[in-house]
Amino acid sequence: MKAKLLGILLIGFLAGTAAGTFFYYDISNFFIAAIAFFLVMSVATKKWIHIFVSLAAIFIFAGFEMGCNAANFKIKSEPTSISGFIAKVDQNIYQKSINFYVKEKEKDSYLEVRTGKDVEYKVGDYVLISGNITAADLPKYKKDHIYYFVQYPEIRKIKKPNSGRYENFLVKKAILINRLNEYISDRISAVLPQPHAALSVGVLLGGSSAFSKDLSSKFSDTGITHILAVSGYNVMIIATVLFKFLKKKPQKIKIWGAIFGVWVFAVLTGMSASVVRASIMASVLIIAKLAGRDYYPFSSLMLTASIMVFLNPLILMYDLGFQLSFLAVLGIIYFGPLVGLMFKKRNIFTEIIIATISAQILTMPLIAYYFGKVSIVSFAANLLVLPAIPFLMLFSFITFAVYLVSPFLALGVGFFNWVLAEYVVKTILYLSSLPWAKVNIEFGFTALIVVYILLIDIKILSLRYAKKKKENLHDYYSLAG
């Protein structure tokens, strides 16, 4: 009961934060007056409902205030030059420009730089950027601490300045992760042809920089682009597969083994903010299972999301990766039971299919809202492709690992890697070639809310039906042993 009440309070906090990022009103005085009123009423009446309402008001107003302050944070100046180290480089071999991100010295802010491919700088280099630097006042940029933009500036490499320990740690981390990603990518590319190598690296490490514009468009048309963006779905699949492999081991070994696997995957994919958030979300859900009968997955998910939003309020409404991770896990938790009824036997393959379908139920409407199109073949594409992705990830890693021992032996293992990648590519190419593969629609915010209300109704009706039939339908979630 206490866990459910906590879940409700946290929903209030998240709702308040969401509202605060859209509307800016100075409610400080009203907030203090309202809380004082509710607290006095609670003390006077000593009724639990009044105490709960007081707490709910505190959570809602606190969230609103946080959302307002984060969304309306103003950048005070637009400097003519910025110095710092290159923390990340985004480059597509088919584009004529590159983007890289410079972290300001001793500041938690970044400058996004667009320049030509002829610039030869790498992650970890200290540079001085001069040009027409403009402020990035939109919340969707500020959520990643990107406060400035500049295009085709003057770039000059400078000596490493004296920095604190934390700054040095960030530089070493960026260099290490970048080198690790390049090392893995180069080894897989030495074994597999394109676009199979790009796909294998994409599902393992995230990203589609080696994809042609045409192939990227086909992935988008079939609603399958998300396999190249590491999210909560990928992390939960990793945990699900590890649970199944360790199913004969004691519960604690399964749980800590899954957590270890999740964070190894996070390190390999570069420890980006979205990957770290998805890994934390999965880890909290895994650890919470140690509570046994007292485990409430919904409350654990709300607590995890609230902690992340508390640390960065803007991700709630402006970070698609966070939203998809949250909805994917929520879909697995609450729609897994319904999807699971279609399968009489459970194994790794069926568990992956169940997790895939249940995650897609909540994420597909949001994807349609953001991109303004509905892929008619999306459900078929996800059903056909997603069960193969965990195995493609596994063989991609095995291909890399064997290459370290013997490049010749890696060709043999790489054949199975190629078969899986070929299956995914051919499936996408065929489905995208259908004349009715996608439909461009006006899928606004109202339509999104209506769809989610209908999905909630379906869930409620299914629970009532199960209760009438006296079925023992427990909430299924992907980490079930």
Side-chain angles (χ1 to χ4, degrees), residues 5 12 26 66 89 124 138 140-141 149 176 266 348 381 391-392 441:
L5 292 177
D26 186 5
M66 284 184 57
V89 178
L138 296 177
K140 65 179 181 179
Y141 297 115
F149 288 115
L176 177 63
I348 291 180
F391 301 101
L392 178 58
I441 63 168

Side-chain angles (χ1 to χ4, degrees), residues 25-45:
Y25 296 103
D26 186 5
I27 62 167
S28 301
N29 295 331
F30 176 75
F31 171 71
I32 296 173
I35 297 306
F37 171 76
F38 282 120
L39 289 176
V40 169
M41 185 174 62
S42 301
V43 173
T45 61

Side-chain angles (χ1 to χ4, degrees), residues 120-272:
E120 296 182 358
Y121 295 107
K122 60 183 183 296
V123 172
D125 287 345
Y126 277 86
V127 292
L128 175 65
I129 308 294
S130 302
N132 185 22
I133 299 174
T134 58
D137 277 328
L138 296 177
K140 65 179 181 179
Y141 297 115
K142 290 191 286 187
K143 70 176 174 61
D144 293 320
H145 302 283
I146 299 173
Y147 294 156
Y148 304 102
F149 288 115
V150 67
Q151 294 189 5
Y152 300 95
E154 178 186 346
I155 306 174
R156 184 163 58 91
K157 190 173 181 179
I158 59 176
K159 292 183 178 180
K160 180 181 177 181
N162 294 325
S163 304
R165 291 184 178 180
Y166 181 66
E167 186 85 4
N168 291 329
F169 166 75
L170 292 179
V171 176
K172 291 179 181 179
K173 172 192 166 187
I175 294 173
L176 177 63
I177 291 175
N178 182 68
R179 288 179 178 175
L180 180 62
N181 275 259
E182 288 183 348
Y183 189 78
I184 294 174
S185 179
D186 290 344
R187 270 60 188 173
I188 293 177
S189 297
V191 177
L192 299 175
Q194 296 293 355
H196 305 76
L199 176 61
S200 299
V201 173
V203 299
L204 186 63
L205 304 177
S208 57
S209 60
F211 273 20
S212 66
K213 186 176 181 180
D214 180 63
L215 186 58
S216 296
S217 177
K218 293 183 185 303
F219 268 70
S220 177
D221 291 345
T222 52
I224 209 74
T225 307
H226 60 87
I227 68 172
L228 303 172
V230 181
S231 65
Y233 167 77
N234 305 71
V235 174
M236 293 298 283
I237 287 296
I238 294 292
T240 301
V241 172
L242 288 172
F243 257 76
K244 286 301 174 183
F245 275 124
L246 299 172
K247 64 181 179 180
K248 294 183 180 180
K249 301 294 182 181
Q251 183 78 336
K252 288 187 177 181
I253 293 180
K254 286 198 298 183
I255 289 172
W256 293 114
I259 292 175
F260 177 77
V262 163
W263 284 100
V264 168
F265 177 69
V267 171
L268 289 176
T269 53
M271 292 289 286
S272 66

